[in-house]
């Protein structure tokens, strides 16, 4: 069973609080904006220099000068502001953004994150990922639980070059929700099971030391 | 006032270009990129360039023009994933790349223009980015020292400019342009619309005239879209 | 959206004030000073305050209000020459002062808000300002390390603000306000005119809404002039 | 005889070049703007955050929000721009201002400058002076040649706390114009005599080692 990409996004959206300023990465994180609860109002930041990012434009609304960090055409909302990329990352690095949701290749039990390069393959660059994970108040990773070749992506230690050290607070995979004690010794705790998934299944597919949270039925 | 206005990109770059220069380029993706200036640099044939730019354009646009002709020796960028020529040159060992986290790159340029030789940031601590760099602990947390960047010529693109060099950017086309304008010995700006001095509201000016040494109107512009993403009505 | 709008200075500061806070105050001279907020801080009676502000107001205006009542323990400023109460308190040993060069002060505040714990500058090298601070040589020139500043509450004054917290400043009243807004756990803004969200042009906004947690309209304002200097027609 | 304050300002104005961006301190430096040559167009910067500072306003033009760094009411010109004080000092520190003219208490023969405090007296603060002398491309001091108690202000070494080390390029006093080799061993060179002043007079009133420039008739 497990969660679909949309279900993962919907679960991530439950972490949004009214008034939050949020930066969403590409992929599953982008889907999160489709599931913002009705009583919650959030403002999206795009690290190229835009606060208040609206939905994709209608065909006749496209403005080439309005793009998000994924270079996609987007729209303004009421209250949008633009600023330089230096000011944008001052905002990010200075801890003024409440939440960043992004993808990952690997997450370690101490919160280490790897999502920007694979040695031996062509490297495209880290873009703003290192700044986001270092600066934003809370970092949630949405990712597949295992890699295409069946390896756990939730590890004791990352094997790939790091994007950030002790930066991830929460991981959402198709199997469930995991919290990480990134500043302490607590490691990974399973806090919610996806529908139709068992704790044993997760244990079998997770290399990080795993604590089963009190709210989870084994 | 000493004249800053030139008739086109070629004229605006006259006498400035030579091999091995360090160019500071505004733009993010294909937005706010000084396309006319880049084309004029290509036409000049200078080579061995170091380009500080967040991205490397795509094939046929942006800094892609200078990559195709082999005029670039080194890029200092945060993300070059869109450019196929880039990958080919890099794998053939014909191009150096120094990856900087995007915020660190933006801040290094801002620092270079602001007379700040170095600053500390959390970004990249404990990663490859921090290797070989000094680190320092402040209030119990480790930071890495990053250096300011200052180049020979800044190439920027603005929406409106006045004849004294004041610039106004439009929407997300602002991006790296304001910092780049400050971080070189010489800044050349191309604008979509060149207006008389006094026609821009003093509270709306993003880049004050002091930074811009040469300016020209590059209209008309055919703005490219990298990822046309739309929704249905 | 979570409400940020309050009816006046007292309401906007409700629950925030206590003794020994570090306040970051916008303004230069008497221009762009958050007068209504400062008056409300005075009325609250909190004491032992550290105020980061370029100047210290004059007697009866600006931070002068908090000096007269003895609520300020320490000032971090670049110039306090206009305030007579200041001189008296200082000479009596009732007030600490840390002088920063104006540009260093502005940059320290900007750095604090931007997550930069320290940076290097030429300003003050070889002077009292550099005593006891680390120095470092870059490219053969000596620089002094200065730390970022980050306070408990930022008090800023803008011209226009919208209900989501976006701010626009007017002319030379911008001064220290944009940086101060970024450099505290809580930023409260007073504005001359409070407008609906969407009424400010996205390209004209000086301080994005993310920084401003509480906002109120302080009109009417009776703007004070410190040095009315005129010429004859 | 010697120069008046206005003559000193007029002499300083001859150092202005077309297209210069200039920061003027209070006192004699402010007078310099009255003597800008007709064929020279300069732009004045005020460090509180204004580029393009116009003359003092007429009585009915006064705007409380338009002040210079001396807190005086001023006016805009065509092309004026405003920016934050952080951006203003980025401009100054980054070397983008061509010339700063300011007053001094003492100048030493190596270019050291003292103009902000006298130990034992109430200190008002350095304002932007330290940033200006450290960052601006060329620094000219206009000052009285001797102090009120008759002491030379052009010294071998400053006795007062410094504003900047090796920062002054030129000194204009009522007795003449002096260039300073601030980065080298050259010291102070008299490059122009004020009307009715003799080299001997200057030598008698100058404690800095003085070279008489080739253009000066002894």
């Amino acid at each position: 069973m497990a969660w679909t990409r949309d279900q993962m996004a919907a679960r991530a959206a439950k972490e949004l609080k009214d008034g939050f300023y949020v930066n969403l990465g590409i992929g599953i994180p982008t889907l999160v904006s489709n599931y913002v609860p009705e009583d919650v109002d959030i403002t999206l930041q795009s690290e190229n220099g835009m606060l208040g990012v609206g939905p994709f434009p209608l065909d006749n609304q496209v403005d080439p000068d309005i793009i998000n960090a994924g270079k996609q055409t987007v729209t303004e909302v009421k209250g949008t502001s633009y600023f330089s990329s230096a000011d944008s990352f001052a905002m990010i690095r200075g801890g003024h953004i409440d939440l960043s949701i992004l993808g990952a290749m690997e997450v370690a039990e101490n919160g280490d994150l790897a999502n920007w390069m694979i040695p031996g393959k062509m490297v495209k660059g880290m873009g703003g990922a290192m700044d986001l994970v270092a600066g934003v108040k809370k970092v949630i990773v949405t990712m597949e639980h295992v890699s295409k070749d069946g390896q756990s992506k939730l590890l004791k230690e990352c094997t790939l070059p790091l994007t950030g050290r002790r930066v991830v607070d929460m991981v959402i995979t198709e199997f469930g929700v995991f919290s990480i004690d990134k500043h302490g010794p607590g490691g990974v705790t399973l806090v919610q099971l996806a529908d139709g998934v068992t704790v044993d299944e997760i244990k079998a597919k997770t290399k990080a030391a795993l604590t089963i949270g009190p709210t989870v039925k084994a | 006032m000493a004249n800053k206005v030139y008739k086109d990109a070629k004229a605006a770059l006259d006498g400035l270009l030579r091999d091995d220069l360090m160019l500071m380029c505004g733009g993010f993706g294909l937005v706010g990129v000084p396309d006319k200036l880049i084309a004029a640099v290509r036409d000049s044939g200078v080579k061995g360039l170091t380009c500080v730019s967040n991205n490397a354009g795509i094939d046929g646009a942006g800094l892609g023009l200078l990559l195709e002709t082999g005029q670039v020796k080194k890029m200092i960028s945060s993300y070059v994933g869109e450019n196929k020529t880039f990958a080919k040159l890099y794998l053939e060992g014909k191009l150096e790349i120094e990856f900087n986290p995007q915020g660190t790159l933006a801040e290094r340029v801002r620092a270079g223009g602001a007379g700040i030789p170095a600053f500390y940031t959390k970004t990249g601590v404990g990663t490859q980015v921090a290797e070989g760099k000094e680190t320092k602990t402040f209030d119990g947390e480790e930071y890495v020292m990053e250096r300011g960047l200052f180049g020979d010529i800044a190439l920027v693109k603005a929406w409106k400019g006045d004849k004294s060099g004041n610039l106004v950017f439009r929407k997300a086309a602002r991006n790296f342009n304001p910092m780049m304008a400050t971080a070189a010995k010489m800044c050349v700006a191309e604008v979509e619309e060149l207006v008389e001095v006094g026609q821009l509201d003093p509270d709306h000016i993003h880049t004050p005239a002091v930074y811009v040494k040469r300016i020209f109107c590059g209209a008309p512009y055919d703005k490219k879209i990298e990822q046309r993403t739309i929704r249905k009505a």
Side-chain angles (χ1 to χ4, degrees), chain A, chain B:
Chain A
M1 286 290 290
W3 282 332
T4 62
R5 285 163 58 90
D6 273 282
Q7 283 175 309
M8 287 164 64
R11 178 56 188 82
K14 289 190 178 164
E15 299 298 318
L16 301 170
K17 295 202 175 78
D18 193 37
F20 261 25
Y21 292 88
V22 180
N23 186 294
L24 299 178
I26 51 173
I28 297 173
T30 303
L31 299 175
V32 173
S33 57
N34 297 331
Y35 298 97
V36 182
E38 266 190 30
D39 57 341
V40 168
D41 207 344
I42 64 163
T43 304
L44 297 178
Q45 201 253 19
S46 187
E47 64 265 31
N48 47 322
M50 182 178 187
L51 185 67
V53 180
F56 297 132
L58 297 173
D59 192 51
N60 62 1
Q61 288 177 328
V62 170
D63 182 329
D65 285 340
I66 310 182
I67 62 165
N68 64 17
K71 283 101 178 178
Q72 297 169 312
T73 45
V74 292
T75 54
E76 295 176 354
V77 297
K78 280 189 180 177
T80 291
S81 58
Y82 296 101
F83 31 85
S84 74
S85 300
D87 286 345
S88 182
F89 282 94
M91 196 181 280
I92 289 166
R93 197 189 309 104
H96 303 283
I97 302 297
D98 296 295
L99 178 64
S100 174
I101 307 180
L102 71 175
M105 298 169 181
E106 296 179 346
V107 176
E109 62 188 45
N110 65 350
D112 285 358
L113 167 70
N115 74 349
W116 80 282
M117 75 172 284
I118 299 174
K121 289 204 181 179
M122 179 65 201
V123 181
K124 294 179 173 183
M126 69 291 279
M130 285 192 181
D131 310 280
L132 283 160
V133 299
V136 170
K137 284 183 199 151
K138 182 174 179 176
V139 174
I140 298 179
V141 162
T142 56
M143 66 176 188
E144 309 295 315
H145 202 94
V146 294
S147 64
K148 282 173 193 161
D149 53 353
Q151 299 300 309
S152 173
K153 294 169 72 176
L154 201 47
L155 302 167
K156 283 204 152 336
E157 285 182 15
C158 290
T159 65
L160 296 170
L162 295 187
T163 305
R165 199 175 62 186
R166 291 184 176 272
V167 293
V168 178
D169 295 279
M170 177 177 276
V171 176
I172 298 174
T173 76
E174 71 274 33
F175 295 158
V177 180
F178 306 83
S179 69
I180 297 185
D181 178 28
K182 72 180 177 188
H183 293 305
V188 179
T189 302
L190 174 66
V191 295
Q192 186 184 342
L193 273 177
D195 309 327
V197 177
T198 68
V199 168
D200 285 343
E201 246 180 298
I202 289 180
K203 279 185 178 169
K205 289 179 175 166
T206 303
K207 283 201 178 159
L210 194 65
T211 303
I212 309 304
T215 58
V216 175
K217 290 170 198 156
Chain B
M1 173 67 77
N3 178 54
K4 293 184 177 182
V5 179
Y6 291 75
K7 79 173 181 341
D8 57 21
K10 188 182 175 188
L13 288 171
D14 188 46
L16 302 180
L17 297 175
R18 50 185 169 74
D19 288 353
D20 304 318
L21 288 175
M22 181 163 164
L23 302 183
M24 315 295 286
C25 289
F28 176 86
L30 300 182
V31 172
V33 175
D35 285 317
K36 315 273 172 166
L37 285 163
I38 291 170
V41 172
R42 177 197 56 195
D43 295 345
S44 79
V46 294
K47 53 188 192 307
L49 301 172
T50 295
C51 293
V52 178
S53 170
N54 189 61
N55 310 108
I58 60 171
D59 295 319
L63 288 175
L65 299 188
L66 303 181
L67 293 174
E68 288 159 26
T69 52
Q71 291 170 268
V72 179
K73 180 179 69 182
K74 181 178 177 181
M75 294 286 310
I76 301 178
S77 303
S78 88
Y79 191 82
V80 298
E82 296 91 352
N83 193 300
K84 295 194 190 70
T85 305
F86 188 98
K88 184 171 169 292
L89 290 170
Y90 179 76
L91 293 172
E92 290 171 355
K94 290 178 179 163
L95 186 61
E96 290 171 58
I97 171 80
E98 177 188 322
F99 282 119
N100 282 194
Q102 193 173 337
T104 295
L105 180 64
E107 189 67 15
R108 290 183 70 192
V109 175
R110 192 255 174 205
I116 293 172
F119 60 90
Y120 292 91
T121 175
K122 271 184 294 192
T123 301
V125 170
T127 75
Q128 283 190 3
V129 160
E131 282 173 20
K133 292 176 184 163
E134 288 186 37
T135 61
K136 199 171 175 73
T137 299
F138 297 98
D139 304 326
E141 192 156 3
E142 191 183 346
Y143 295 82
V144 59
M145 190 180 83
E146 295 281 359
R147 298 294 308 273
L149 279 171
F150 194 82
D152 296 297
I153 306 178
L155 308 177
V156 304
K157 157 80 193 298
W159 179 37
K160 291 184 184 178
D162 74 22
K163 291 180 175 177
S164 74
N166 286 307
L167 302 181
V168 171
F169 302 97
R170 182 173 182 275
K171 304 190 184 288
R174 195 181 317 180
N175 56 61
F176 278 77
N177 283 295
M179 298 84 79
M180 294 296 181
T182 70
K185 292 171 216 157
M186 161 63 63
C187 170
V188 186
E190 60 178 272
V191 298
E192 296 179 39
E193 193 183 339
L194 186 64
V195 304
E196 295 300 320
V197 181
Q199 291 195 303
L200 300 175
D201 185 319
D203 280 330
H204 299 167
I205 290 167
H206 298 126
T207 291
V210 65
Y211 292 111
V212 178
K213 308 288 192 297
R214 300 186 180 191
I215 190 169
F216 68 97
C217 178
Y221 280 89
D222 174 27
K223 294 186 186 179
K224 296 178 191 70
I225 295 176
E226 203 163 338
Q227 303 277 349
R228 185 184 177 92
T229 314
I230 58 170
R231 68 188 152 98
K232 303 284 180 230

